[in-house]
Amino acid sequence: MPPTQTRTLQPRESTGLADRLALSRAATEGSHLRTDDFADWLAARGRAHAFRVERIPFAELDGWSFHEPTGNLAHRTGRFFTVEGLHVTEEGPPHGDGPPADWYQPVIRQPEVGILGILAKEFDGVLHFLMQAKMEPGNTNLLQLSPTVQATRSNYTGAHRGGAVAYVEHFAGPGRGRVLADVLQSEHGSWFHRKSNRNMVVEAVGDVPLRDDFCWLTLGQIAALLHRDNVVNMDARTVLSCLPLGGGQDGALLSDTGLLSWITGERARHSVRADLVPLKDLPGWKRTGSSIAHEAGRYFRVVAVSVQAGNREVRSWTQPLFEPVGRGVTAFLVREFDGVPHVLVHARVEAGFLDTVELGPTVQYTPDNYAHLPPSRRPLFLDTVLRAAPDRIRYEAVHSEEGGRFLRAESRCLLVAATGAEAPRIPPPGYAWATPAQLTSLVRHGHYLNVQARTLLACLRATPVSSR
């Protein structure tokens, strides 16, 4: 009689992944936590730990200092990140002829690649996703729903000398399960210098012990939570956008090849030079004992905070954060052409991108930064979005940006049905119509959709959208 052989439990292969994801998206209730009970669960996790964030002067930063002669703000270990100066020159303005854009700003330099990973597992025939109630010092309400793992290399290699990152072995170890999505994506190109994170979804092999501060949710439950303000954090939104949901769709105004050609043309016609320079005496910026701010009072500030968090790998620390001046507005204009929904994408030039241009939303601005300008100089489509009547708004929620580096950075996220007069079939230079299916195809490859467009793609999937 042959010896008994043990078999490792493997993820199910009999049903196609797209069908399994669609089933999870249709499941508005899960096997572990009811959607109506989520708010109470999140509040209970907040009560279970002590959280505190306080502004402090730069002199009270522990381990951080302004280095001479550059004045760059760095940690004594040389790890984590640095705040440096950036000089940007853009030749080839997006619209018409004109002088090259030229400006200076502080920027976050963090060359290491982090892991943003969501673990999946099937319960009662439906895929569920392991989400974490994670505290980030910059979040407006501190605690938000994050990926299973949200960690920089410094975190998961123990540079902070804190506890181990829970579940990281499913993403960085040799015995991980079936990979459902794995792609390098950019971070905020306006505030990071060439920063990328690995966005991953992995279906678990075998049992997964459920730790405190974690919960299993279906895609349908997460979609419902995306309609609530400041609940699903930025890192979770970008990972979810990378899932291969849905198939192709005929009827796009631009073929897939045509859309790729348009993107390539946009990248070729922009020339952006972004040079790291010393933070000290950065033109247009003034440093005080508690902030580095623009002399016009616009854009953002660099500030310092002291943090206590009872459920983090390190329980207390200090760090710099970027604090925007004013709430952002991020929106897709939506139209149907021959019955097929399209969104208007913008070829965004951001100094921190690896490849000059990525597709962004139709509108991605902080209105307060443009309030002083005459109408002729305000960004295209901004006023269309701001003046949209309630019956034209197909989706609206306020979402936080990355709370580990940005303090109270929020964006009002919108899907707005547009008329032909507001958004013509042949859009202005720098803009193109694309279907949600085309964006889903592009986001499976790195550096095509910026982080704001990925957020709106996740919101778009959570919302039945019609331009009517």
Side-chain angles (χ1 to χ4, degrees), residues 273-295:
R273 179 169 178 171
D275 297 317
L276 291 169
V277 298
L279 184 63
K280 187 177 182 180
D281 300 324
L282 197 66
W285 295 80
K286 182 182 297 185
R287 176 179 142 191
T288 67
S290 58
S291 73
I292 302 171
H294 193 268
E295 59 189 12

Side-chain angles (χ1 to χ4, degrees), residues 380-459:
L380 288 176
F381 303 111
L382 175 60
D383 291 329
T384 300
V385 168
L386 294 180
R387 296 170 183 167
D391 64 348
R392 307 298 291 175
I393 296 174
R394 301 294 181 257
Y395 172 92
E396 180 176 12
V398 175
H399 291 305
S400 294
E401 303 301 335
E402 212 283 312
R405 298 292 177 265
F406 311 133
L407 179 62
R408 287 194 293 272
E410 294 179 329
S411 292
R412 181 184 174 213
C413 297
L414 298 150
L415 301 173
V416 178
T419 66
E422 293 167 331
R425 184 185 185 99
I426 300 176
Y431 294 82
W433 291 104
T435 66
Q438 288 178 314
L439 299 188
T440 294
S441 177
L442 286 172
V443 81
R444 297 179 68 182
H445 306 276
H447 306 291
Y448 275 103
L449 270 63
N450 75 355
V451 68
Q452 290 87 353
R454 298 197 301 273
T455 277
L456 286 183
L457 179 58
C459 298

Side-chain angles (χ1 to χ4, degrees), residues 24-43 126-129 131 145 215-228 231-232 462:
S24 182
R25 185 167 52 174
T28 56
E29 292 297 343
S31 300
H32 289 73
L33 179 66
R34 294 179 66 249
T35 308
D36 287 345
D37 296 333
F38 174 82
D40 290 339
W41 176 85
L42 187 64
V126 178
L127 277 174
H128 289 59
F129 298 82
M131 309 299 290
L145 201 61
C215 65
W216 291 102
L217 298 171
T218 67
L219 288 179
Q221 290 180 291
I222 298 170
L225 297 177
L226 278 167
H227 288 261
R228 304 181 187 181
V231 171
V232 181

Side-chain angles (χ1 to χ4, degrees), residues 8-14 20 177-180 203-206:
T8 302
L9 182 63
Q10 296 292 335
R12 187 173 59 154
E13 299 282 357
S14 58
R20 299 176 69 205
R178 180 188 180 194
V179 176
L180 306 185
E203 187 174 0
V205 172

Side-chain angles (χ1 to χ4, degrees), residues 33-215:
L33 179 66
R34 294 179 66 249
T35 308
D36 287 345
D37 296 333
F38 174 82
D40 290 339
W41 176 85
L42 187 64
R45 298 323 307 157
R47 292 191 298 269
H49 307 285
F51 299 124
R52 189 176 68 184
V53 178
E54 296 180 342
R55 289 174 179 268
I56 59 174
F58 290 131
E60 293 183 14
L61 283 169
D62 182 16
W64 296 83
S65 61
F66 292 98
H67 291 186
E68 293 299 337
T70 64
N72 293 343
L73 185 54
H75 195 265
R76 63 184 170 221
T77 62
R79 303 292 295 272
F80 307 111
F81 63 95
T82 56
V83 180
E84 305 184 22
L86 191 70
H87 179 207
V88 184
T89 302
E90 179 190 347
E91 298 179 0
H95 306 292
D97 297 324
D102 186 281
W103 74 91
Y104 292 84
Q105 67 169 85
V107 72
I108 298 171
R109 184 171 180 265
Q110 187 175 352
E112 62 185 29
V113 174
I115 291 177
L116 307 178
I118 296 179
L119 198 61
K121 188 171 175 60
E122 192 172 281
F123 297 97
D124 298 330
V126 178
L127 277 174
H128 289 59
F129 298 82
L130 188 60
M131 309 299 290
Q132 178 184 181
K134 188 178 183 68
M135 181 272 191
E136 291 289 346
N139 289 343
T140 300
N141 51 353
L142 293 184
L143 204 64
Q144 294 189 14
L145 201 61
S146 82
T148 317
V149 169
Q150 178 183 320
T152 65
R153 183 181 295 274
S154 293
N155 290 145
Y156 67 79
T157 59
H160 50 37
R161 298 184 180 180
V165 175
Y167 301 110
V168 71
E169 67 276 7
H170 292 278
F171 304 93
R176 68 187 187 203
R178 180 188 180 194
V179 176
L180 306 185
D182 189 358
V183 59
L184 285 178
Q185 298 286 10
S186 62
E187 285 256 12
H188 293 74
S190 295
W191 293 334
F192 280 103
H193 183 256
R194 299 184 177 180
K195 175 73 171 70
S196 297
N197 279 320
R198 192 174 181 183
N199 288 232
M200 304 180 70
V201 182
V202 174
E203 187 174 0
V205 172
D207 293 331
V208 179
L210 185 63
R211 297 172 178 255
D212 290 340
D213 301 321
F214 291 81
C215 65

